[in-house]
Amino acid sequence: MKKTTLKDIAKALNVSVSTVSKALHDIPEISEETRILIQNYAKEKNYRPNYNALSLKNKRTKSIGVIIPNMLNYFYMQVLQGIEKEAASHGYRIMTCISNESYQKEVEIIDMLSTGSIDGFLLAISKETEENGEFSHFTDSVKFGFPIVMFDRVSEHVECDKIITDDLNASADAVSNLVKQGCKRIAFVSPLKNLSIGRLRFEGYKKGLEQNNIAFDSSLVINTNEVNYKNYDTMIRPLFDHKIDGIISTNESSALSAMEIAKENGYNIPEDLAVISFANGLLARNSNPRLTCVSQHGEIMGAVAAKKLIEKLETKDDAKSYSTEYIETDIVVRDSTR
């Protein structure tokens, strides 16, 4: 069976090839009626774009490679949603890959997609890559003409645009929030010690204590690199050998473990112990009690990252000028705080 082309669709519907192309890429220069007519006809005829031909003609694929560290993190699902919406509004498609926190997998993905499949990358760095401190696969990508915009987990060692939350001040604000509720013995729980976001949140915790004239007490800190949530119970339990009335956690799972252990030890939440966690995901909304969170607005982060990369691609900006943009956070108050 002969493959349907743009010319075939244009001839059948008595419109120009340019009109067909715009309709298929959802470019808002044609009427809604024409766009729907063309898209329905293309679907009926099983039209598939020839991305190799597009690449040869335009030296662009209108495709973006997206790499996330894991697929179980609700925050990254929110980021993906924002990326996909923003990319589609500009006629781009996304190719999503999972590094599974593996440096080697990340390198393989970069190599695979840099053969001409995509125009640029949006990515959050894997845990192993941050630990290894080896970023040449990113710098080589930029050198070979595939720009990168990093989001959430970024590296100061790679010159590229970055979209992040202000983790340091968000953590400091969380401390102040607990202090206003009367907390004086505020613990810090994190399994993200070796990640940039974990380090910034810990610095923010210490900054928040200092701002509120509370002395730092290392016995109230659980700061590790434990990635297995099944081990959180063992990791956190020693914390309750000390008197605490507040907890800030860098992720939801460790916060939920802390609340369960607190209840076992006779704490009432939030009367005796108030808890705030980073990441406003499904676990937080469905926990008992429901968890107060620092919301990082993942969908906004994804949209801003995609827009930044597309601007770079559309303007063919080869200048070595890069920026870091911050997504504002806020605290979503639920039942785990007073």
Side-chain angles (χ1 to χ4, degrees):
M1 182 181 293
K2 180 179 177 291
K3 185 176 179 179
T4 301
T5 66
L6 290 178
K7 288 183 180 179
D8 295 332
I9 299 173
K11 183 177 180 181
L13 300 179
N14 197 29
V15 296
S16 68
V17 171
S18 174
T19 297
V20 173
S21 179
K22 290 175 181 177
L24 295 178
H25 286 95
D26 285 322
I27 296 174
E29 292 182 13
I30 56 176
S31 69
E32 180 76 1
E33 181 182 359
T34 301
R35 183 182 66 81
I36 292 173
L37 175 68
I38 292 171
Q39 289 185 352
N40 286 343
Y41 183 83
K43 186 176 181 181
E44 179 186 328
K45 295 298 181 181
N46 295 313
Y47 169 75
R48 295 290 182 273
N50 185 342
Y51 289 105
N52 288 331
L54 286 173
S55 179
L56 287 171
K57 181 179 179 181
N58 304 318
K59 294 186 179 179
R60 300 238 318 268
T61 65
K62 298 285 281 188
S63 298
I64 294 170
V66 181
I67 309 175
I68 60 174
N70 66 75
M71 62 186 299
L72 300 178
N73 189 317
Y74 181 73
F75 172 70
Y76 289 129
M77 295 303 102
Q78 292 178 305
V79 173
L80 276 177
Q81 190 172 18
I83 290 173
E84 199 282 327
K85 284 183 180 178
E86 185 66 24
S89 72
H90 293 275
Y92 282 77
R93 63 172 186 161
I94 65 172
M95 299 176 67
T96 306
C97 299
I98 319 295
S99 69
N100 285 324
E101 304 290 7
S102 164
Y103 163 76
Q104 189 57 45
K105 182 69 173 176
E106 198 175 68
V107 171
E108 291 171 2
I109 293 169
I110 293 281
D111 287 345
M112 175 184 70
L113 296 182
S114 297
T115 58
S117 301
I118 52 91
D119 297 325
F121 290 99
L122 297 170
L123 59 90
I125 299 175
S126 73
K127 176 177 172 290
E128 280 190 359
T129 297
E130 284 212 58
E131 290 176 343
N132 293 344
E134 175 53 64
F135 306 108
S136 60
H137 52 307
F138 299 139
T139 54
D140 287 346
S141 173
V142 175
K143 190 188 305 179
F144 294 143
F146 296 95
I148 288 175
V149 174
M150 292 182 174
F151 58 85
D152 188 46
R153 296 190 199 171
V154 304
S155 170
E156 61 185 17
H157 302 291
V158 182
E159 290 190 330
C160 66
D161 294 297
K162 293 152 193 170
I163 314 297
I164 57 177
T165 53
D166 188 355
D167 285 290
L168 190 148
N169 285 314
S171 189
D173 290 344
V175 172
S176 294
N177 185 282
L178 291 180
V179 171
K180 288 176 183 176
Q181 298 175 45
C183 297
K184 297 178 181 178
R185 299 275 295 169
I186 301 170
F188 179 82
V189 176
S190 175
L192 309 177
K193 181 179 180 180
N194 289 350
L195 299 182
S196 58
I197 54 175
R199 291 191 292 270
L200 287 169
R201 290 169 191 178
F202 184 45
E203 289 304 311
Y205 163 73
K206 292 189 287 187
K207 177 182 177 180
L209 293 177
E210 183 179 350
Q211 288 175 333
N212 290 281
N213 299 312
I214 297 175
F216 173 76
D217 184 346
S218 60
S219 68
L220 303 186
V221 173
I222 303 293
N223 193 17
T224 73
N225 202 37
E226 179 57 67
V227 296
N228 188 346
Y229 71 92
K230 295 180 181 178
N231 296 334
Y232 286 174
D233 184 278
T234 303
M235 175 184 86
I236 295 167
R237 197 167 289 278
L239 189 63
F240 289 88
D241 293 338
H242 309 276
K243 179 176 172 57
I244 57 174
D245 54 17
I247 292 178
I248 292 173
S249 174
T250 59
N251 70 337
E252 292 174 321
S253 295
S254 59
L256 298 184
S257 292
M259 288 201 297
E260 288 302 313
I261 298 170
K263 286 186 278 188
E264 289 175 18
N265 282 271
Y267 286 81
N268 292 313
I269 300 172
E271 293 81 9
D272 303 325
L273 179 69
V275 182
I276 296 180
S277 169
F278 275 79
N280 184 30
L282 296 176
L283 291 176
R285 300 171 201 184
N286 294 291
S287 63
N288 182 26
R290 295 184 309 137
L291 188 58
T292 294
C293 288
V294 176
S295 178
Q296 299 161 262
H297 303 294
E299 189 166 338
I300 295 174
M301 176 178 284
V304 171
K307 184 177 181 181
K308 171 66 74 174
L309 179 60
I310 290 169
E311 284 176 355
K312 210 96 175 175
L313 295 171
E314 297 286 347
T315 58
K316 298 181 180 178
D317 183 5
D318 295 324
K320 302 301 181 185
S321 59
Y322 306 107
S323 65
T324 298
E325 294 186 36
Y326 291 89
I327 305 299
E328 290 187 14
T329 63
D330 53 48
I331 296 177
V332 179
V333 178
R334 296 195 180 94
D335 306 327
S336 69
T337 53
R338 300 158 206 160

